Amino acid sequence: MRIHCKVVVIAVCFGVFLLLYFLGGNAADDPLRKEVAREEEGEEAAAAEEDGVSSRSPPEPGRDVAAKFKKKKRPAGGYGARAKEPPGGRKEGRAINTGAGVNVNVNAKSKRRNNAARPVTKRKRVEEVMHLAVVACGNRLDETLAMVKSALLFSLKRITFHIFAEDTLAPQFEERLKRWPRSISTKFQHRIYPITFSVGNADEWKKLFKPCAAQRLFLPVILKDVDSLLYVDTDVLFLRPMDDIWDLLKSFNATQLAAMAPEHEVPKIGWYSRFARHPFYGVTGVNSGVMLMNLTRIRSTMFKNSMIPSGLSWEDILHPLYQKYKNHITWGDQDLLNIIFHYNPECLFIFPCQWNYRPDHCMYGSNCKGAEEEGVSILHGNRGVYHDDKQPAFKVVYDAIREYPFEDNMFQSLFYPIQTKFLDTVNTLCGRIPQVFLKQIEKTMRKVFEEKVVRRVKPHK
């Protein structure tokens, strides 16, 4: 009897032992646990590889033996597959194939650690700044400020003004520019330079044609830190954004380094084609009152000429060229530019007459087709027409811009006064085509209005 009891106890114990043994083996073979175990081993292996130590360890005793006693049926999706996964798969501990035959385990914690270790740097967009140069001497203070004002009223990008002025005018420029409202002063920077000539006799250069006009010839030498530049005379007014003529720099081909408009559209009545005693560009010559320049190219180019076969740099060519032709030139620095580009025509880009519209384009009959179609883009009041009554159409525009109060409504305080006063000029040579003067300025004002008002009040979606 006792023997039977002992046998029964031993059998029960053995049965309990086998039950626990098989239960432990099944738990070890559970697919979810296997995947978790593999992920943990993967993390340990990655950490060990970072430290230069292998994470391999001998297999756990009993796991292979249990597999021999009982082989589980592989699930349909393979080990590690879950019955339900969120769309896009699990976000943590996901194995990713790199495409190079290597599976990389990405852990959310390691992601956060890597992101924290790499500070995010925001690239600041470099704002393009336009450069505009002007030379002022004598009584040109008000005229120059009107030009600067017209550029700021319509332009979109920031502008740096390079103002070359006589010593007596420099403090007056500073004082007048400081009066302008902050809404305008934030749109530009200005630098004031003395009148200087790097070669030859300074007094001789200063008296060439008009006081200080020859200074423009030395801009590539003086402004060595400026890549591109728009030069204008003091009697110029912008009737559309300066941005538009600035964009013409992108139209230069590989050899072009400057841009100007023709001196005249009709050779039969052009000055150069009838009276010039020196070489000039093309058929009618060019006018230098509005001159767009790639200064970097000018400084690096050797210019062909009639004096030295090997060519001369910009700075080296100016004085000998003047010495050779000084008894034959009438328009000073403009004539020297015509001579230079006569021998180097491939260096010059020609823009149409509406970018340098002068009395010559209307006082002998309308001969600027571009202005008739698009309107005047830049008004050039040479011949002193802003200050006399010979061509009142030009004076109307100049007076309106000069007297316009900053921050007033442009249509009410600028466009309508111009439009009204033009009625008094319709019987004059240039006033009989008012649409030439008004078309572009009206279009520009509408564009400025849309930029400043319409877009600001547009409701957010």
Side-chain angles (χ1 to χ4, degrees), residues 415-440:
F415 180 72
Y416 293 142
I418 292 175
Q419 192 177 44
T420 302
K421 292 178 180 178
F422 248 97
L423 296 175
D424 299 329
T425 70
V426 293
N427 295 321
T428 63
L429 294 172
C430 293
R432 60 190 173 186
I433 46 174
Q435 70 277 7
V436 169
F437 292 83
L438 299 176
K439 185 182 296 185
Q440 190 59 239

Short mmCIF file of all heavy atoms in Angstrom, two decimals, residues 415-440:
data_model
loop_
_atom_site.label_atom_id
_atom_site.label_comp_id
_atom_site.label_asym_id
_atom_site.label_seq_id
_atom_site.Cartn_x
_atom_site.Cartn_y
_atom_site.Cartn_z
N PHE A 415 -1.01 110.62 -58.91
CA PHE A 415 -1.47 110.34 -60.27
C PHE A 415 -2.52 111.35 -60.75
O PHE A 415 -2.40 111.89 -61.86
CB PHE A 415 -2.04 108.93 -60.36
CG PHE A 415 -2.52 108.58 -61.74
CD1 PHE A 415 -1.62 108.34 -62.76
CD2 PHE A 415 -3.89 108.51 -62.02
CE1 PHE A 415 -2.06 108.03 -64.04
CE2 PHE A 415 -4.33 108.20 -63.29
CZ PHE A 415 -3.42 107.96 -64.30
N TYR A 416 -3.52 111.62 -59.94
CA TYR A 416 -4.56 112.55 -60.38
C TYR A 416 -4.04 113.97 -60.61
O TYR A 416 -4.44 114.62 -61.60
CB TYR A 416 -5.72 112.55 -59.37
CG TYR A 416 -6.47 111.24 -59.33
CD1 TYR A 416 -6.94 110.72 -58.14
CD2 TYR A 416 -6.71 110.52 -60.51
CE1 TYR A 416 -7.62 109.51 -58.10
CE2 TYR A 416 -7.38 109.30 -60.47
CZ TYR A 416 -7.83 108.80 -59.27
OH TYR A 416 -8.50 107.60 -59.24
N PRO A 417 -3.13 114.50 -59.77
CA PRO A 417 -2.55 115.81 -60.09
C PRO A 417 -1.79 115.82 -61.41
O PRO A 417 -1.87 116.79 -62.18
CB PRO A 417 -1.62 116.08 -58.91
CG PRO A 417 -2.21 115.31 -57.78
CD PRO A 417 -2.77 114.07 -58.40
N ILE A 418 -1.05 114.73 -61.70
CA ILE A 418 -0.33 114.66 -62.98
C ILE A 418 -1.34 114.64 -64.13
O ILE A 418 -1.20 115.38 -65.12
CB ILE A 418 0.56 113.40 -63.04
CG1 ILE A 418 1.71 113.52 -62.03
CG2 ILE A 418 1.11 113.19 -64.45
CD1 ILE A 418 2.57 112.27 -61.95
N GLN A 419 -2.36 113.81 -63.98
CA GLN A 419 -3.38 113.68 -65.03
C GLN A 419 -4.09 115.02 -65.29
O GLN A 419 -4.31 115.41 -66.44
CB GLN A 419 -4.38 112.61 -64.61
CG GLN A 419 -5.31 112.15 -65.71
CD GLN A 419 -6.22 111.03 -65.22
OE1 GLN A 419 -6.77 111.10 -64.12
NE2 GLN A 419 -6.39 110.00 -66.03
N THR A 420 -4.41 115.73 -64.21
CA THR A 420 -5.11 117.01 -64.34
C THR A 420 -4.22 118.07 -64.99
O THR A 420 -4.66 118.79 -65.92
CB THR A 420 -5.57 117.50 -62.96
OG1 THR A 420 -6.42 116.51 -62.36
CG2 THR A 420 -6.32 118.81 -63.07
N LYS A 421 -2.98 118.18 -64.55
CA LYS A 421 -2.08 119.20 -65.08
C LYS A 421 -1.66 118.91 -66.52
O LYS A 421 -1.21 119.83 -67.23
CB LYS A 421 -0.86 119.33 -64.18
CG LYS A 421 -1.20 119.92 -62.81
CD LYS A 421 0.03 120.00 -61.91
CE LYS A 421 -0.34 120.59 -60.56
NZ LYS A 421 0.83 120.64 -59.63
N PHE A 422 -1.77 117.64 -66.93
CA PHE A 422 -1.42 117.33 -68.31
C PHE A 422 -2.39 117.97 -69.30
O PHE A 422 -2.06 118.17 -70.48
CB PHE A 422 -1.40 115.80 -68.53
CG PHE A 422 -0.02 115.27 -68.80
CD1 PHE A 422 0.73 114.72 -67.79
CD2 PHE A 422 0.52 115.33 -70.06
CE1 PHE A 422 2.01 114.23 -68.03
CE2 PHE A 422 1.80 114.85 -70.32
CZ PHE A 422 2.55 114.30 -69.30
N LEU A 423 -3.58 118.30 -68.83
CA LEU A 423 -4.55 118.95 -69.72
C LEU A 423 -4.03 120.29 -70.23
O LEU A 423 -4.41 120.75 -71.31
CB LEU A 423 -5.88 119.15 -68.98
CG LEU A 423 -6.60 117.86 -68.55
CD1 LEU A 423 -7.82 118.20 -67.71
CD2 LEU A 423 -7.00 117.03 -69.78
N ASP A 424 -3.14 120.91 -69.46
CA ASP A 424 -2.58 122.20 -69.86
C ASP A 424 -1.42 122.06 -70.84
O ASP A 424 -0.89 123.08 -71.31
CB ASP A 424 -2.09 122.98 -68.62
CG ASP A 424 -3.23 123.27 -67.65
OD1 ASP A 424 -4.38 123.44 -68.11
OD2 ASP A 424 -2.97 123.32 -66.43
N THR A 425 -0.99 120.83 -71.10
CA THR A 425 0.19 120.63 -71.96
C THR A 425 -0.17 120.00 -73.30
O THR A 425 0.73 119.73 -74.11
CB THR A 425 1.23 119.72 -71.25
OG1 THR A 425 0.74 118.39 -71.18
CG2 THR A 425 1.52 120.25 -69.86
N VAL A 426 -1.45 119.76 -73.56
CA VAL A 426 -1.82 119.00 -74.76
C VAL A 426 -1.48 119.75 -76.06
O VAL A 426 -1.43 119.12 -77.13
CB VAL A 426 -3.33 118.65 -74.74
CG1 VAL A 426 -3.61 117.67 -73.61
CG2 VAL A 426 -4.19 119.90 -74.59
N ASN A 427 -1.26 121.02 -75.98
CA ASN A 427 -0.92 121.78 -77.18
C ASN A 427 0.59 121.91 -77.39
O ASN A 427 1.02 122.62 -78.31
CB ASN A 427 -1.55 123.19 -77.13
CG ASN A 427 -3.07 123.13 -77.16
OD1 ASN A 427 -3.64 122.30 -77.89
ND2 ASN A 427 -3.73 123.99 -76.40
N THR A 428 1.38 121.24 -76.56
CA THR A 428 2.84 121.28 -76.71
C THR A 428 3.33 120.03 -77.44
O THR A 428 2.59 119.05 -77.59
CB THR A 428 3.53 121.37 -75.34
OG1 THR A 428 3.23 120.19 -74.58
CG2 THR A 428 3.02 122.59 -74.58
N LEU A 429 4.58 120.07 -77.88
CA LEU A 429 5.11 118.96 -78.68
C LEU A 429 5.05 117.62 -77.96
O LEU A 429 4.67 116.61 -78.55
CB LEU A 429 6.56 119.29 -79.08
CG LEU A 429 6.72 120.47 -80.04
CD1 LEU A 429 8.20 120.81 -80.21
CD2 LEU A 429 6.10 120.14 -81.39
N CYS A 430 5.44 117.59 -76.68
CA CYS A 430 5.45 116.32 -75.94
C CYS A 430 4.14 116.07 -75.19
O CYS A 430 3.79 114.93 -74.91
CB CYS A 430 6.62 116.30 -74.95
SG CYS A 430 8.24 116.27 -75.75
N GLY A 431 3.40 117.15 -74.86
CA GLY A 431 2.16 116.99 -74.14
C GLY A 431 1.02 116.44 -74.96
O GLY A 431 0.00 116.00 -74.42
N ARG A 432 1.15 116.42 -76.28
CA ARG A 432 0.06 115.94 -77.12
C ARG A 432 -0.05 114.41 -77.13
O ARG A 432 -0.98 113.86 -77.72
CB ARG A 432 0.26 116.44 -78.55
CG ARG A 432 1.55 116.00 -79.20
CD ARG A 432 1.79 116.71 -80.51
NE ARG A 432 3.09 116.41 -81.07
CZ ARG A 432 3.59 116.99 -82.15
NH1 ARG A 432 2.88 117.92 -82.78
NH2 ARG A 432 4.78 116.67 -82.60
N ILE A 433 0.89 113.73 -76.48
CA ILE A 433 0.82 112.26 -76.34
C ILE A 433 0.85 111.90 -74.85
O ILE A 433 1.78 111.24 -74.38
CB ILE A 433 1.96 111.57 -77.11
CG1 ILE A 433 3.31 112.27 -76.83
CG2 ILE A 433 1.69 111.51 -78.59
CD1 ILE A 433 4.50 111.55 -77.43
N PRO A 434 -0.18 112.31 -74.08
CA PRO A 434 -0.15 112.09 -72.63
C PRO A 434 -0.11 110.63 -72.23
O PRO A 434 0.44 110.29 -71.18
CB PRO A 434 -1.44 112.76 -72.15
CG PRO A 434 -2.34 112.78 -73.34
CD PRO A 434 -1.43 112.96 -74.51
N GLN A 435 -0.67 109.76 -73.07
CA GLN A 435 -0.69 108.34 -72.71
C GLN A 435 0.72 107.77 -72.58
O GLN A 435 0.95 106.83 -71.82
CB GLN A 435 -1.49 107.52 -73.74
CG GLN A 435 -0.85 107.38 -75.11
CD GLN A 435 -1.09 108.55 -76.02
OE1 GLN A 435 -1.64 109.57 -75.60
NE2 GLN A 435 -0.68 108.43 -77.28
N VAL A 436 1.69 108.35 -73.29
CA VAL A 436 3.08 107.89 -73.20
C VAL A 436 3.62 108.13 -71.78
O VAL A 436 4.33 107.29 -71.23
CB VAL A 436 3.95 108.61 -74.25
CG1 VAL A 436 5.43 108.36 -73.98
CG2 VAL A 436 3.58 108.15 -75.65
N PHE A 437 3.25 109.25 -71.19
CA PHE A 437 3.73 109.58 -69.84
C PHE A 437 2.91 108.90 -68.75
O PHE A 437 3.44 108.58 -67.68
CB PHE A 437 3.68 111.10 -69.64
CG PHE A 437 4.65 111.87 -70.48
CD1 PHE A 437 4.35 112.21 -71.79
CD2 PHE A 437 5.87 112.27 -69.96
CE1 PHE A 437 5.25 112.92 -72.57
CE2 PHE A 437 6.78 112.98 -70.72
CZ PHE A 437 6.47 113.31 -72.03
N LEU A 438 1.63 108.68 -68.99
CA LEU A 438 0.73 108.23 -67.93
C LEU A 438 0.54 106.72 -67.86
O LEU A 438 0.20 106.19 -66.81
CB LEU A 438 -0.64 108.90 -68.10
CG LEU A 438 -0.65 110.42 -68.04
CD1 LEU A 438 -2.06 110.95 -68.32
CD2 LEU A 438 -0.18 110.90 -66.67
N LYS A 439 0.74 106.02 -68.97
CA LYS A 439 0.39 104.59 -69.02
C LYS A 439 1.17 103.77 -68.01
O LYS A 439 0.60 103.01 -67.22
CB LYS A 439 0.65 104.05 -70.44
CG LYS A 439 0.20 102.62 -70.62
CD LYS A 439 0.51 102.11 -72.04
CE LYS A 439 -0.27 102.89 -73.07
NZ LYS A 439 -0.08 102.33 -74.44
N GLN A 440 2.49 103.91 -67.99
CA GLN A 440 3.31 103.08 -67.11
C GLN A 440 3.17 103.49 -65.65
O GLN A 440 3.14 102.64 -64.75
CB GLN A 440 4.78 103.17 -67.54
CG GLN A 440 5.69 102.17 -66.85
CD GLN A 440 5.29 100.73 -67.08
OE1 GLN A 440 5.02 100.01 -66.12
NE2 GLN A 440 5.23 100.30 -68.33
#
